Amino acid sequence: MTYSYLSHLHCPKCGTEYDASQLHQLCVCGAPLLVDYDLERLASEVKREDIAARRPDLWRYHELLPVQSEANVVSLGEGMTPLLPVPALGENMGIEHLYMKDEGIIPTGSFKARGAAVGVSRAKELGVTELAMPTNGNAGAAWALYAARAGIRATIVMPVDAPKITRNECAVSGANLVLVDGLISDAGKIVGRAVQEFGLFDASTLKEPYRIEGKKTMGLELAEQFGWDVPDVILYPTGGGVGLIGIHKALKELQAIGWIPAERRLPRLVAVQAEGCAPIVKAWEEGREESEFFPNSETIAFGINVPKALGDFLVLQALRETDGCAIAIGDEALLREQENAARLEGAFVCPEGAAVFAAARALRASGWIADGERVVALNTGAGIKYPDTVSAEVPVLQPEDSLKR
Ligand SMILES: *Cc1c(COP(=O)(O)O)cnc(C)c1O
Ligand SMILES: [Zn+2]
């Protein structure tokens, strides 16, 4: 039995192919590499019914993942997160079939665990003993913890004002953690120099090919959770855009192997950004194929504060191919939506997830989301990772005081 149908890597920009059994970072042309599988053989040897009885984690799709040997799988039980109907919130914004895929319950508290699980497993399989990466917090936390489980040494560089809990997650894992008085792009430059100097494996977003494969599993799960079908719209909070690229890749692979109907229109993908950091939205509105560095970026949705993404052209391509769109949300609107989700649905979503709900509301109001469409919002992390986004004025009683109502 074949555990993985991995075949090779290719560059989506210049087409160069690479041997997947070797460690690779970027293509010689500077673009990120994508992973290919022998989909024809997979289609003839594996049936989607085979998946049903497997453990509810992302490794149930191991044939479509790059890890060659099960022995190299580094797992904390990630994946197969719930797809929850959110009818009250949906009604509140006029979307009858609104769903939340809740990544808030995943190990490490954000969906970065998916990319880390597959990326670290594959790094271990290819002999990596030490890795380094810049992060806005959640990715560093996830990679630090998965690296610890894999016995790989991790160096993590994050901005000083990244969420404090992610700092603690790195520290407790024993990673070599450094803060930078700047943005993730500054952290990236520091990592770049360290990679050159010490020959570390560079685990920066899209500088290794396997993180996308982990995030791809959101698309695989959505298809399975919809009964091997797809919704009409998927909204994704876009920083580096890895998840959006991954979901698009997953759905195309599922069509290629016939697990979802080839004639089915793929969901319109929506890249949701913050008004304070919206390079992809700007490029989309200007009809460009790549984004430009977004200066002085700022938003409380820290996970999507990425002023220039390496895979921007792949995100924009996915939006074009699926008739999707890109939209920016202000911090105030997303904070209001965070409260709506908690009050109406009991869901304490992260600010990035709240931005996605706010985007759904705006797109419904403008008519871009039509009546009766099935809409999936990705809540990419737990609200409890960002305790400071909520300020509560709470009365304090003395022991002899009584409650008022
Ligand atoms: C990293 C992150 C994002 C953005 O993910 P990308 O795939 O890099 O676009 C969204 N939400 C949260 C909570 C994150 O940590
Ligand atoms: Zn190339």
Side-chain angles (χ1 to χ4, degrees), residues 10-16 18 26-33:
H10 83 273
C11 171
K13 206 159 232 177
C14 73
T16 308
Y18 292 85
L26 293 172
C27 178
V28 287
C29 81
L33 296 175

Side-chain angles (χ1 to χ4, degrees), residues 111-112 138 215 236-243 303-304 350 352 380 386:
F111 77 145
K112 292 293 196 301
N138 285 332
K215 294 236 185 139
Y236 181 82
T238 305
V242 186
I304 53 175
C350 63
E352 297 84 353
T380 44
Y386 308 71

Side-chain angles (χ1 to χ4, degrees), residues 110 112 116 133-144 156 166 170 205 211:
S110 90
K112 292 293 196 301
M133 68 186 306
T135 175
N136 270 336
N138 285 332
W143 282 71
I156 310 289
T166 61
C170 295
T205 307
R211 187 197 293 210

Side-chain angles (χ1 to χ4, degrees), residues 23-46:
L23 213 48
H24 292 289
Q25 306 252 223
L26 293 172
C27 178
V28 287
C29 81
L33 296 175
L34 296 178
V35 180
D36 291 293
Y37 298 85
D38 186 349
L39 295 177
E40 227 165 277
R41 192 162 69 84
L42 196 166
S44 72
E45 294 177 0
V46 189

Side-chain angles (χ1 to χ4, degrees), residues 58-82:
L58 61 78
W59 299 101
R60 65 201 275 107
Y61 309 109
H62 58 77
E63 288 95 343
L64 274 169
L65 292 173
V67 178
Q68 300 278 276
S69 158
E70 191 170 6
N72 291 318
V73 167
V74 181
S75 176
L76 292 165
E78 59 288 330
M80 221 41 182
T81 53

Side-chain angles (χ1 to χ4, degrees), residues 190-275:
I190 293 175
V191 166
R193 289 198 295 273
V195 162
Q196 288 298 319
E197 193 171 346
F198 309 117
L200 306 178
F201 181 64
D202 191 345
S204 305
T205 307
L206 298 186
K207 287 195 182 167
E208 60 76 48
Y210 300 109
R211 187 197 293 210
I212 293 182
E213 298 304 297
K215 294 236 185 139
K216 179 178 92 174
T217 56
M218 288 184 286
L220 303 177
E221 287 174 20
L222 278 172
E224 188 177 357
Q225 288 171 317
F226 274 102
W228 298 112
D229 195 359
V230 290
D232 298 296
V233 175
I234 299 176
L235 300 109
Y236 181 82
T238 305
V242 186
L244 193 143
I245 298 165
I247 289 170
H248 188 222
K249 184 171 189 285
L251 297 177
K252 286 196 294 188
E253 287 172 356
L254 289 178
Q255 272 189 328
I257 61 175
W259 290 13
I260 55 177
E263 67 284 0
R264 185 80 166 90
R265 189 178 180 216
L266 289 186
R268 280 141 44 224
L269 299 177
V270 179
V272 179
Q273 298 204 292
E275 280 174 3

